[in-house]
Amino acid sequence: MLAALASCTDPGEREADWDFIHAAIIEPSCATSSCHSSLSMTAGIDFEDVDASYDFLLGQFFVVPFDQNSNLLFLLNGVERPLMPPDGPLPKADVDLVKAWIAEGALR
Amino acid sequence: MNHLTAALTTLVFVSVAWVLAPDANAYPHFQFSSDTDTCSTCHYAPAGGGLINGWGREEAGDTLSRGGDGAALHGLAEMPSWLAIGGDLRAAALMKGVETSEGTVNESGKLHIFPMQADVSARAEHKAFALTAVVGLRGKARKSAPPDGSMREEAGALSRLVSREHFITYAPDDSKYTMRGGRFYAPYGLRLADHTSYVRRHAGFGMLKETYGLGVSRRGDANETHITAHVSDPILGSQNLTFGATAMHEKRGDSHALGAGARLRFAESNMQAWAGGHYKHWFESKKLLLMAEVNAGYQSFAESPDNSRLQLLGYIGPVWFPTDGVSASVAYEHFDEDLLTRYVERHAITSTISFLPRAHYEIFLMGRAERIGPPGRSFTGMLQLHYYL
């Protein structure tokens, strides 16, 4: 375990894959019971399903492929928009992974 | 409290309980500190939490608060032996401060006052069977503000009606075993009341994350075991269905408890496993209870096998009981979402003060400072006014 910890990788080495981003970041952080779950649908947004979440983010232009000024990044950084999630920021490394995914074309 | 005041309080509670929101309700720091060594000594549920039984209600007035009558309805009416009722009403004032890598965010310092919990609970038993249900209306801390300014249709008012727990238990006389089926949290770890504590929210025990399950509990003289097979809400959570199993064993001494557990959860896109332990030690001379929990996790992703990750989740801290009805705690919490990746860990120092001036009433203060993968920081201050029926 210690050997593994000593070989910690930089966040940028993680694969910027939508399925991973949804399962590891979006679903546990955003689809909470009081926010964007199927139960609450705060602001009419439901992030529980991986395909529906992808379609929503691109369909509503929260994410524009290759655009580093995508609305989602402003929300995740709390810049000129309310911070999401509001109770505490995502680790910057996770925001950077979302940024990398968008920069690579926001592929499904 | 005279009968008129009690009756008015009860009437107000039952009225308000139907327009507010549900939340958690277990106080694991009362194990040992209240001269009881198991959660189920004071609660009907086999692993504690929820409705308190006759013993628990006596303790509520005698040892846990600064006096009063802890009986249901303040003792106004005697319940038939087959029926128990209860409920929780909680209002909260919350203030947050948040900093990200881009600086202080624009909602920092804003005060949110909101209904936090309103549950009505009932339990009816017939011979070895008992039916328990908790019903409330889901509330929210903030008003919806669509980030892009557009309005989308939200879930209707009726969808705010939720039952976070409803289950049937079967507990034959003179048996150490209890079977349970329905919706409930699978027993695991310390089972803290605070649904925002790391060991709850990051291990799948966040608010309204109760699963449907079939469980068996065994209560021995100095130990207890709980095993549960579970599935996430098959109706509202049908888009992201998860299946799993959770097991926990706790062994107790005169002044300590040591537990071990494991939890497996399978979804279409990923698999997650947790294994860990918890410990409590009561220092009678200092009126201090030490509580700790640590879990190691592994998560793999069907479409991104290279992103499989090891996780670490922990809680440690003392609770001090300086006098009847007062407890104060401070705890360190840790969550590392990926041990092999830098800058994705979270640290928190959480302190609480609970004051139970009389049975049925609690004033609760909480402060939490978090460091979220450099350079994020978050500060939380919360006041709760809690009434239980």
Side-chain angles (χ1 to χ4, degrees):
Chain A
M1 173 71 93
L2 288 174
L5 292 177
S7 64
C8 265
T9 59
D10 286 326
E13 294 181 24
R14 291 183 295 176
E15 190 181 346
D17 171 83
W18 168 249
D19 286 275
F20 173 74
I21 288 171
H22 180 266
I25 300 172
I26 301 292
E27 198 275 332
S29 304
C30 310
T32 56
S33 296
S34 55
C35 297
H36 303 301
S37 64
S38 301
L39 174 69
S40 302
M41 290 184 63
T42 298
I45 300 170
D46 177 0
F47 279 137
E48 286 205 9
D49 181 65
V50 60
D51 295 318
S53 300
Y54 180 87
D55 292 343
F56 173 82
L57 287 174
L58 273 81
Q60 297 292 319
F61 304 106
F62 283 95
V63 169
V64 177
F66 306 108
D67 184 357
Q68 295 299 281
N69 289 317
S70 287
N71 203 353
L72 180 63
L73 296 175
F74 283 88
L75 289 163
L76 295 180
N77 284 315
V79 176
E80 299 174 23
R81 308 280 193 285
L83 176 74
M84 293 291 157
D87 283 329
L90 293 176
K92 182 176 182 296
D94 286 349
V95 178
D96 288 345
L97 189 69
V98 174
K99 193 174 178 180
W101 169 68
I102 293 173
E104 293 170 14
L107 298 174
R108 174 72 182 91
Chain B
M1 175 177 287
N2 62 40
H3 283 190
L4 178 62
T5 309
L8 284 173
T9 305
T10 303
L11 182 64
V12 168
F13 171 82
V14 172
S15 304
V16 175
W18 286 93
V19 294
L20 300 180
D23 198 11
N25 47 17
Y27 285 75
H29 55 282
F30 286 145
Q31 188 181 18
F32 297 116
S33 62
S34 61
D35 291 332
T36 51
D37 62 350
T38 68
C39 302
S40 58
T41 304
C42 293
H43 294 267
Y44 285 106
L51 267 175
I52 48 179
N53 56 29
W55 175 272
R57 287 194 175 278
E58 284 188 19
E59 291 295 298
D62 286 345
T63 60
L64 304 185
S65 69
R66 299 188 68 81
D69 186 347
L73 304 173
H74 297 259
L76 279 175
E78 184 119 350
M79 290 288 117
S81 60
W82 56 269
L83 179 67
I85 62 168
D88 289 272
L89 186 63
R90 210 181 284 254
L94 169 75
M95 186 174 280
K96 299 283 300 189
V98 179
E99 289 179 25
T100 71
S101 58
E102 307 292 333
T104 303
V105 302
N106 50 13
E107 275 206 10
S108 282
K110 188 174 177 182
L111 181 67
H112 300 274
I113 298 174
F114 62 101
M116 184 177 177
Q117 178 182 24
D119 285 343
V120 175
S121 313
R123 178 183 185 273
E125 68 177 33
H126 178 69
K127 295 182 178 174
F129 291 92
L131 171 65
T132 301
V134 183
V135 179
L137 279 176
R138 180 174 53 80
K140 44 172 111 169
R142 299 173 180 81
K143 290 180 180 174
S144 300
D148 61 350
S150 66
M151 281 306 296
R152 296 179 193 83
E153 186 178 351
E154 292 201 15
L158 260 187
S159 75
R160 293 180 59 199
L161 184 68
V162 291
S163 173
R164 54 182 189 78
E165 285 196 329
H166 38 266
F167 56 81
I168 293 174
T169 54
Y170 174 66
D173 286 343
D174 303 325
S175 171
K176 293 180 176 178
Y177 291 90
T178 301
M179 317 292 178
R180 180 158 56 153
R183 188 178 193 195
F184 56 92
Y185 281 123
Y188 184 82
L190 287 174
R191 289 157 283 161
L192 299 175
D194 178 5
H195 67 84
T196 66
S197 64
Y198 286 6
V199 289
R200 279 197 51 184
R201 67 169 143 151
H202 295 299
F205 298 98
M207 188 172 66
L208 291 169
K209 292 293 185 185
E210 290 90 346
T211 48
Y212 283 87
L214 287 171
V216 58
S217 299
R218 182 189 184 280
R219 181 178 171 180
D221 293 334
N223 59 72
E224 60 185 86
T225 305
H226 308 275
I227 300 172
T228 311
H230 45 79
V231 58
S232 60
D233 185 336
I235 302 167
L236 284 168
S238 60
Q239 295 174 325
N240 195 15
L241 209 55
T242 63
F243 301 86
T246 300
M248 186 192 94
H249 178 75
E250 183 178 275
K251 190 172 173 55
R252 292 181 299 275
D254 290 339
S255 57
H256 72 275
L258 177 63
R263 179 171 171 84
L264 272 172
R265 184 184 59 80
F266 298 92
E268 187 178 350
S269 63
N270 69 98
M271 180 281 286
Q272 191 167 33
W274 288 105
H278 66 271
Y279 182 71
K280 291 182 186 178
H281 197 112
W282 172 242
F283 299 91
E284 172 65 34
S285 62
K286 295 183 166 44
K287 298 293 179 190
L288 200 76
L289 179 74
L290 177 68
M291 298 199 296
E293 178 176 342
V294 63
N295 297 288
Y298 172 75
Q299 190 173 22
S300 65
F301 302 89
E303 301 295 330
S304 303
D306 291 344
N307 282 346
S308 296
R309 55 188 187 175
L310 294 170
Q311 300 180 298
L312 185 66
L313 187 52
Y315 174 101
I316 184 166
V319 187
W320 180 44
F321 299 81
T323 183
D324 285 350
V326 178
S327 62
S329 74
V330 59
Y332 168 71
E333 301 180 71
H334 179 85
F335 175 54
D336 196 324
E337 68 176 49
D338 187 343
L339 282 170
L340 301 184
T341 299
R342 292 189 183 96
Y343 314 133
V344 290
E345 67 275 16
R346 297 165 188 257
H347 308 264
I349 299 290
T350 303
S351 58
T352 68
I353 297 173
S354 169
F355 177 45
L356 296 152
R358 307 284 290 172
H360 297 280
Y361 301 96
E362 179 185 23
I363 300 167
F364 181 82
L365 279 165
M366 185 193 82
R368 174 177 287 143
E370 290 181 88
R371 185 166 180 268
I372 304 167
R377 291 194 295 176
S378 170
F379 306 93
T380 305
M382 175 178 266
L383 166 69
Q384 293 179 23
L385 302 178
H386 176 207
Y387 171 78
Y388 62 91
L389 191 58

